Amino acid sequence: MPINKNALIRYKYLDKLLSDRHHYYTIRDLTEKVNEMMEKDGLDVHVVKRTIEKDLLALQCAPFSAPIDTIKKDGRNIVRYSKDSFSIFNEELSIEERHLLHEVLNTLGQFEGLAHFEWLEKFKIGLGFGERRQIISFSNNPYLQNSNLLGILYDYISNEVVINMSYHTFTNKSIRNIIFHPYLLKQYNDRWFLIGAADDNKKILTFALDRIDKVEPLPEKKYEECPDDLYERFEDIVGVTFFEDRTVEHILCWVSDASKDYVDTKPIHGSYTPIKGKAEQNLRSEYPQLQGGRFFTLDCIYNYELIRLLCSYGKELIVLHSDGSIADDVRKRISEMNETYSILRT
């Protein structure tokens, strides 16, 4: 009997759901998820529970012969593949795909401390991949606390698992708990951060991995995808700290001859814009004390990382003006440093 197009589409969705080892699905859940996937893909089709039951029976017959089991979990009848690696769409990799996968696995494997990524080595052995010399070396802090959480959190994010997370802050060592929807792992300044949303108010929060004490999966809880573009969120900041109540400031800076090429080749932020022509001439008239060097602008939202980075250049970089508080905050930090050194000299 021929298989119609809609049935094949449902089989594709069911194959993904039955392979999922991070969530529990009953027949009712599978029906709901298949309808969600169809709607997301723009298909004007709605299926009922009986249709999914027939699909599961069909998948167990030739040509698919899918090993489908029903198990009891928390009083619910959970349906899934009995074999972890089974898929009705399993195919042999082409030579080009094997080469590409080899490079990806070797690159990912260079991150040290990923205790939850031991499957990488098993995966490479299973594919018949041999040893390969390291070609790309990433910046890495081998002494970073909780680096073993990277693999665990990667697993939960990629499989859309809600977590119960225990954490503490630098200023308060008492343990707190939060139900969290994890979205992104981001590295900055040799430290790793977890970005996601609180379950109660959906507020986007950032946690350093070294301040996370414990992570537990909540497979029974529905995962909610991030409604915002997180990468767009980071476009206006340096680092990872984002203040909802802050707006982008236009910042005017000067950098010395000793550091201008460094700033040119490694801009402080993507908005870095050197000032040239008539505008540069006007600034040199306004600031005759600043000999040589280069004037440039940035458009950033205030955060601690930006202030710290601007101050790190010392006398080689001067923040001349900003729309908001950034220029004043840089001056204040430098003034406080001078006071501290003055006290130490007395």
Side-chain angles (χ1 to χ4, degrees), residues 8-75:
L8 283 174
I9 292 172
R10 294 196 305 273
Y11 294 170
K12 176 185 175 184
Y13 297 150
L14 285 170
D15 183 68
K16 179 179 179 181
L17 296 168
L18 295 170
S19 304
D20 189 345
R21 285 299 188 264
H22 295 81
H23 300 88
Y24 305 141
Y25 298 118
T26 64
I27 296 287
R28 190 177 299 278
D29 295 329
L30 291 173
T31 305
E32 180 183 332
K33 295 295 289 185
V34 167
N35 281 315
E36 287 178 4
M37 291 174 170
M38 284 187 166
E39 182 179 351
K40 187 175 181 180
D41 288 343
L43 300 173
D44 189 19
V45 180
H46 183 82
V47 298
V48 296
K49 180 168 168 280
R50 181 59 184 155
T51 302
I52 298 300
E53 289 174 339
K54 290 181 179 179
D55 287 344
L56 293 174
L57 289 173
L59 287 174
Q60 293 178 80
C61 299
F64 305 112
S65 302
I68 299 175
D69 277 349
T70 300
I71 61 172
K72 277 283 187 181
K73 190 75 175 178
D74 299 328

Side-chain angles (χ1 to χ4, degrees), residues 76-144:
R76 304 165 69 213
N77 292 320
I78 305 303
V79 186
R80 56 170 54 177
Y81 286 146
S82 59
K83 296 180 181 178
D84 289 1
S85 60
F86 182 83
S87 170
I88 62 174
F89 298 104
N90 279 342
E91 293 182 1
E92 190 70 27
L93 290 172
S94 68
I95 294 176
E96 291 78 9
E97 289 170 334
R98 287 175 63 85
H99 288 166
L100 179 59
L101 186 56
H102 190 283
E103 295 299 328
V104 171
L105 292 175
N106 274 340
T107 300
L108 185 59
Q110 289 174 31
F111 288 97
E112 297 179 9
L114 301 187
H116 205 62
F117 281 178
E118 66 274 0
W119 55 268
L120 275 178
E121 195 58 35
K122 295 179 182 177
F123 191 37
K124 286 196 288 185
I125 294 172
L127 292 172
F129 290 167
E131 289 296 319
R132 181 184 175 90
R133 69 184 180 88
Q134 183 173 320
I135 297 174
I136 302 175
S137 178
F138 291 93
S139 175
N140 179 43
N141 180 0
Y143 308 106
L144 179 67

Side-chain angles (χ1 to χ4, degrees), residues 105-281:
L105 292 175
N106 274 340
T107 300
L108 185 59
Q110 289 174 31
F111 288 97
E112 297 179 9
L114 301 187
H116 205 62
F117 281 178
E118 66 274 0
W119 55 268
L120 275 178
E121 195 58 35
K122 295 179 182 177
F123 191 37
K124 286 196 288 185
I125 294 172
L127 292 172
F129 290 167
E131 289 296 319
R132 181 184 175 90
R133 69 184 180 88
Q134 183 173 320
I135 297 174
I136 302 175
S137 178
F138 291 93
S139 175
N140 179 43
N141 180 0
Y143 308 106
L144 179 67
Q145 293 184 32
N146 289 353
S147 61
N148 62 301
L149 286 178
L150 270 175
I152 296 170
L153 292 170
Y154 170 89
D155 193 34
Y156 292 153
I157 293 171
S158 60
N159 290 285
E160 300 185 339
V161 178
V162 181
I163 59 175
N164 181 16
M165 185 170 68
S166 303
Y167 71 97
H168 66 276
T169 65
F170 282 142
T171 56
N172 188 343
K173 300 299 182 182
S174 60
I175 305 299
R176 307 178 190 180
N177 286 285
I178 184 173
I179 307 299
F180 201 63
H181 298 251
Y183 296 142
L184 178 70
L185 286 164
K186 184 174 177 63
Q187 188 184 37
Y188 175 72
N189 197 25
D190 284 344
R191 296 179 72 201
W192 283 95
F193 299 84
L194 174 66
I195 295 106
D199 184 66
D200 54 358
N201 58 15
K202 306 302 181 288
K203 184 177 181 181
I204 301 295
L205 301 173
T206 302
F207 294 92
L209 260 61
D210 52 24
R211 279 171 271 172
I212 298 176
D213 298 285
K214 188 177 180 181
V215 174
E216 296 177 324
L218 299 174
E220 73 282 358
K221 196 163 185 62
K222 184 176 181 180
Y223 182 90
E224 297 185 22
E225 294 183 0
C226 183
D228 304 321
D229 185 339
L230 286 180
Y231 291 95
E232 184 177 320
R233 181 186 182 92
F234 290 111
E235 283 183 357
D236 295 326
I237 65 172
V238 169
V240 296
T241 306
F242 184 89
F243 293 102
E244 301 281 355
D245 57 343
R246 293 275 188 164
T247 57
V248 174
E249 295 186 35
H250 188 66
I251 311 160
L252 174 63
C253 302
W254 173 87
V255 61
S256 70
D257 284 326
S259 295
K260 68 179 183 181
D261 289 338
Y262 183 82
V263 173
D264 260 347
T265 54
K266 187 186 177 184
I268 294 170
H269 183 259
S271 63
Y272 168 76
T273 305
I275 299 175
K276 300 178 180 179
K278 184 65 175 177
E280 180 186 9
Q281 294 175 20

